[in-house]
Amino acid sequence: MPQQLSELLQSRVEGDLMFDQFSRGRYATDASLYQIMPLGVLCPKSEDDIAAAIDIAREQRVPILPRGGGTSQCGQTVNEALVLDNTQYFNDILELDVENQRCVVRPGIVLDVLNRALKPHGLWFPVDVSTASRATIGGMAGNNSCGGKSLRYGMMRDNVLSIDGFMADGSHHHFGLNGPAPSPAYKALKDDMQSLGRREAAEIEARFPKVMRRVGGYNIDALTPDSAPLNLAQLLVGSEGTLAYSTAVELKLWPILSQKVLGVCHFATFHQAMDATQHLVKLQPQGVELVDATMISLARDIPMFQPTIAEVVTGSPEALLLVEFAEEDVTRHPAKLKELEEMMGDLGFSWTGTGRNWGGVTKVTDAALQGRIADLRSSGLNIMMSMKDDGKPVSFVEDCAVELPDLAAYTAGLTEIFDRHGTKGTWYAHASVGCLHVRPVLNLKLDKDVKTMRQIAEECFDLVARYKGSHSGEHGDGLVRSEFHEKMFGARMVANFAEVKQRFDPEGLFNPGKIVDAPKMDDRRLFRYGPDYNAPEIKTALDWSEWTGSGGGFQGAIEMCNNNGACRKLKGGVMCPSYRVTRKEQDLTRGRANTLRLAITGQLGPDALTSDEMAETMKLCVSCKGCKRECPTGVDMARMKIEVMSARAQKHGISLHDRLVGYLPRYAPMASRLSVLANLRNCVPGLAALTERITGFTRTRDLPVWSAQAFRNQEVAQHDQPKAVIFADCFNRYFEPENLRATVKVLEAAKVPAVVATQPAGERPLCCGRTFLSVGLVEEAKVEAQRLVDALLPYAQQGLPIIGLEPSCLLTLRDEIPALLPGADTALLAQQARMLEEYIADQEDNPEFDLQLASPAPKVLLHGHCHQKAMGIMSSIEKTLARLPDTEIETVETSCCGMAGSFGYGVDTHEVSRKMAESDLAPAVRRAEASTLIVADGTSCRHQVSDIAGRKPIHVARLLEMALKTGEEAT
C-alpha cells in the first residue's frame, strides 16, 4: 500500500513525499503515549497538492491525517494514514486587516510566528498555549485550544471567525458567516446541522458540561437555536481533523496590552491553593496558573530554570498560584497587586504566619523576570517529564475541568484515587478556569501499570461527572478520551456525534478513530511502548548511568524525549539550529531521538543504528548542545550523536575527511612548522577545487590559517605557587596564538601568577579529544582525555582554577570527559574548569584581583558560543565585560553560528551552515557600526562571521588586552 500510494502521489503533487521507514517512524508519535506507523508523509506546497492527496486517498480508501506541530497530548496526530504535514510550506499569512482586527492564515503557521508578525501592528492572537513556539493555528483550531488567558480571551472557538477547507468528497467550502455564495451542497449540510441542533437542543442543554473548559466531542451546542446565527466553523473547531481539511483560518485579533504585573502567591498546602482560587479570580486577573512542589523541585534541577526559581520562590511552598494582571490603564497595576496582597491576608495568609497560615505574595513587575516565569510555566508539563526513572507522569486524565467552588474537593478526590492505586500525581496549570494538568506517575512498559491507568481513568471520569465537569478541558479527545464519551455525555449524545461524522465524512476518510468509533484507550498495540517493546543490550562508549535501560542507560536517555516539540521553535535560544533552516522533522532533536529509539528497539530493521539512513538523520546535528539546556526533559543529542558515530566508525571505519578532522591534534605540530605548505590550499588558485573531492572540504571557503608562530608553553614562566593554570587548546595554540598570549597579559596585569598545563617531556601538546569525538573515534578521544586529566589533576587537587579560551575544548572538561572517564578525578576537574571570563567574574569580591581596564571601543557586539549558552555561562561573560567603562555591550540573540567545528567546511553541509548564520548572526553583524568591536570566543564562530559577514571578530581575551590600562593611566 505505501509504495502504490507513493507512486500515485508522485505524479500529481509538488510537495515533499516521504515513504521510507525512517521518515514514517518520525511521524508515528506525538506527545501522547501512543505510536502508530503512518502509511506515508506529504508536505503539501499548495491547495492543489491537498486536493490531489484527498482524491487519491479517497480512491485508494486510505485515511488522511492533517498534522501541525505534532504535540497532541491525546494521540490526535497519529494514525495509520497518509500524514499531511502543513508546517513546512503551508504556513503563511494570507490576509491581515489591521483596522478590523482580523487575519487569514494557512493552518501550518506557528502561533509565535504569527504573533511576531502582528506585533508591529499592536495586535496579537491571544490563545496563548504553552506550546506557542511550535503549535500551529490549524492544530489549535482542530483541538479547540485554550491557553492561560482564556479567562479573558476565550478559547479557539471564540476567536475563529471562519475556516476554508476541503470535505471528504473533494469539494471546497467556506465555513463561516460571511464569504462567497454557498453552494447547494453546503446549504444542504448547514440545513442538516441546524435540524440536528433544533432536535437535540434539550439534550444538549441537559448533558453538556457548563464549565468554560469543555473541548470533548463535537461542538454541537453551536447548532442549537440559542446559538444563532449558525457558524459551521465552530463545529470544525475541536473536530481534530475528522470532519474537514482546513486550508485557511480566519482569526479574530486583539490589541496588545504591553504591560502586566504578576503576583506569585505562596501556599503551605496544595488544598489551600485550590480553595483560594475561587476567591482570587474575583480580582479579575487575566490568568491564574498553578505550580506545585514537584514542579518546583524538578525545575531546581534544570539549569535554565534554576535562577528563576531562586529569584521567585520563598521558602518551601507546596503550591504557587501565578496571578497575572494586564489592565488597559497600567497605572492600576500597583493597586491590583495591593488588592491581591489584601485578599491573601483576608484568607489568613502572611509571611509571618505559621503552619497553614504561612504564605504571601511575591510581586513581579520586571518584564524580563515575567518572561522567565512564563517560560517556566509553559514548560510545566515537560518539566514533569524530566524524571529519569522508567516511571513517568502519564497524560490521560490530566486536563479535566470543574467549577471553581468544586476545585479543592475535586483535587482531593483525585489524590485519593491516586493513593488507592499506589501512585502520586504531579499538578500544574490553569487554576483560574478549574482546569488542572495532573499526571499520575506510571511505567507503561509494565502491563500492571497499564491496567492501573485504566482503573484510574474510569474512577477519575466518574469523579468528574459527579461534579458535572468536563473530562477534557484543554487537550481534546484523541485516542485517550474518545472511548469515554458515553460516560460523559450519554448514549444519545454519542449517537449525535456519530451522525455529524457520518454527514461530513461518510467513508471515514479524515483521521478515523477519534471522537467517534474509537479503540480502547489501553490497547497496548497502539502504545509507544507496546507489548513487544524491547531494546536488546548494546555496548556503548560513554557513561549513561544516570538513566535506565539498555546500553547502560542509553535507552533511558533516548526515551526522555516525550515529543513535546520544544526543539521546533524558530526564534530564541539555540536549539534546534538545523531545523530552523530545513524545517524538516528529521533535523529536530525530537526527530533524531525518535529515530534512535526505533532503531535500538529493532523497529527500523537490522543494523539501523549504523545505517546510512541513521547517518543522514544525524548529519545536520551540529552538536550545539542547545538541547542539553533547552529541552525541558534534558535530551542531550550532542552526546547521543557521539554514540551513533562511534558505532558507525567501528563498523564502517571513517572517511579521509573525518580523519583530517579527527586527527588534527596529532598532525598540528608538524602543520604549524610547515605552515607555508599547509596554507597553500588557500593561496594557490584551483587547489581548493582540486582537493575538494578527496578531502571533503568545500572549495567555497578558505580553511583556517596555520600560524607560523604557534604558542609555546615556554612563553609563560612556571611559577612555584601559581593561582591559576591555563589550558592551551589546539585551536588557539596553532591557529590564533595571539589569544593565548593576550590571556597571559591579562592575568599578569591582574597580578594572577599562572602556569600553562604541560605534557610530559617528549610528548605532543595536550588536547581535550574533541576532534576525535566529533568523528566517532571515542577510544582515541579517551587517550587524549586521560593525558589531559593526568596533567591537570594535580592543579585541581590544589583547588586551582583551570582556565581555557575555546568553549568547545574547555567545556569538554565539564561535559564529555566525565562521560568518557567517569569518576572522582574528572568530576573534580569539571568543577575547576573555567572560561577566562568566568574566572574573572568569579573574582568580583576578591580584593587581591586588580584588573584595571579602559574602554576599548564605544560598543561591543557579543556572540556567544553554543556551548557557553548550553552551560549557562553567558551571564559570566556579560558580567566580565561590564567591567569595561564607557562601553555598551550588546549580546546578539542568536542560535548556532553555523560553522560548528568542521560542519561549515563540509562539501554537503556548508550551504546549511551559511543559512544558519543568515538567520540572526550575520544580519546583526552587518548592522553594526564600523567602530563596534565584534567579539566571539569560539574559533568556529569567528571564522563564520569573517566568512559570511566580512568582519573580523576577536576573542574576549584580546578585547581585555586592548582595554588594559598601562603606565600613568593605570596609576
Side-chain angles (χ1 to χ4, degrees), residues 500-728:
V500 171
K501 172 68 172 176
Q502 176 67 22
R503 182 62 179 83
F504 272 79
D505 182 20
E507 296 182 13
L509 179 71
F510 291 139
N511 202 12
K514 316 296 163 57
I515 300 182
V516 299
D517 301 323
K520 293 290 185 181
M521 61 89 74
D522 54 338
D523 184 346
R524 290 194 68 192
R525 294 171 298 177
L526 307 178
F527 279 23
R528 190 182 306 181
Y529 306 130
D532 300 322
Y533 185 83
N534 178 56
E537 190 55 49
I538 56 175
K539 183 180 179 182
T540 50
L542 304 177
D543 177 29
W544 300 95
S545 59
E546 290 181 65
W547 296 272
T548 61
S550 175
F554 184 48
Q555 175 191 353
I558 294 170
E559 290 172 353
M560 289 300 294
C561 178
N562 69 339
N563 286 267
N564 65 74
C567 42
R568 290 179 67 94
K569 64 184 177 182
L570 299 172
K571 286 287 184 181
V574 176
M575 74 168 182
C576 194
S578 51
Y579 172 75
R580 297 184 187 197
V581 170
T582 70
R583 306 290 178 90
K584 293 182 178 180
E585 184 72 21
Q586 80 171 37
D587 298 323
L588 279 170
T589 300
R590 179 179 78 176
R592 297 175 183 121
N594 274 322
T595 307
L596 281 172
R597 180 180 55 80
L598 292 169
I600 67 170
T601 54
Q603 299 181 68
L604 296 178
D607 300 320
L609 188 65
T610 56
S611 67
D612 290 345
E613 293 88 346
M614 182 63 76
E616 188 68 20
T617 300
M618 291 291 173
K619 183 173 76 173
L620 297 188
C621 173
V622 293
S623 299
C624 66
K625 301 188 187 181
C627 50
K628 180 182 177 69
R629 179 174 178 83
E630 297 171 24
C631 172
T633 57
V635 174
D636 187 351
M637 189 51 59
R639 187 186 291 192
M640 293 174 189
K641 183 179 180 180
I642 293 172
E643 285 290 357
V644 174
M645 297 193 70
S646 173
R648 185 171 174 82
Q650 290 179 47
K651 183 168 184 177
H652 301 290
I654 63 172
S655 66
L656 174 61
H657 174 82
D658 285 348
R659 288 185 179 278
L660 289 171
V661 172
Y663 282 91
L664 182 145
R666 303 280 174 89
Y667 65 77
M670 180 64 71
S672 179
R673 286 194 291 271
L674 303 175
S675 59
V676 173
L677 292 176
N679 293 326
L680 281 179
R681 183 237 184 229
N682 293 349
C683 306
V684 178
L687 191 55
L690 185 66
T691 59
E692 181 182 73
R693 191 173 209 179
I694 301 170
T695 65
F697 292 115
T698 176
R699 71 182 73 186
T700 65
R701 286 186 188 266
D702 284 348
L703 295 178
V705 176
W706 296 93
S707 173
Q709 283 86 38
F711 180 82
R712 295 173 297 108
N713 296 342
Q714 296 88 335
E715 295 180 39
V716 180
Q718 295 300 303
H719 298 277
D720 292 333
Q721 293 183 316
K723 292 186 178 179
V725 57
I726 299 171
F727 165 40

Side-chain angles (χ1 to χ4, degrees), residues 238-254:
S239 64
E240 302 185 356
T242 63
L243 299 183
Y245 194 111
S246 301
T247 58
V249 185
E250 182 184 12
L251 303 173
K252 176 183 179 182
L253 305 178
W254 294 74

